[in-house]
Amino acid sequence: MSVDTYLQRKDTSTYQVVEGEGVQVLVSPMLAQQAQWIHVDLQRFLFWKSLSVYAET
C-alpha cells in the first residue's frame, strides 16, 4: 500500500474521502472503484494512536 502525506499542489478532487473517528482518508479513484468496502480504525492506548485502513476488493 502506498501512503502519501504531502498534499501541497496536488489535485485531490477525484479522490473519495472516507471518514472514521475524526480521521479523513483520501482514497484513490482506482481503489474506490474496485473496493467493496473500506474501513478506518483508530485505536488509542495512553498517548499512542494507531491508524489502520482496511479495504476489500
Side-chain angles (χ1 to χ4, degrees):
M1 171 183 241
S2 176
V3 176
D4 189 359
T5 58
Y6 184 75
L7 295 176
Q8 280 187 330
R9 296 188 215 134
K10 292 192 178 176
D11 180 19
T12 58
S13 62
T14 60
Y15 283 63
Q16 184 175 5
V17 177
V18 178
E19 294 187 40
E21 300 183 32
V23 176
Q24 289 185 340
V25 176
L26 296 174
V27 179
S28 71
M30 184 64 71
L31 180 59
Q33 272 184 342
Q34 295 181 1
Q36 291 180 351
W37 58 266
I38 298 171
H39 177 76
V40 177
D41 185 33
L42 177 65
Q43 296 179 354
R44 296 181 184 141
F45 179 74
L46 296 176
F47 300 108
W48 295 277
K49 294 179 184 176
S50 173
L51 175 67
S52 302
V53 179
Y54 303 98
E56 181 177 318
T57 55

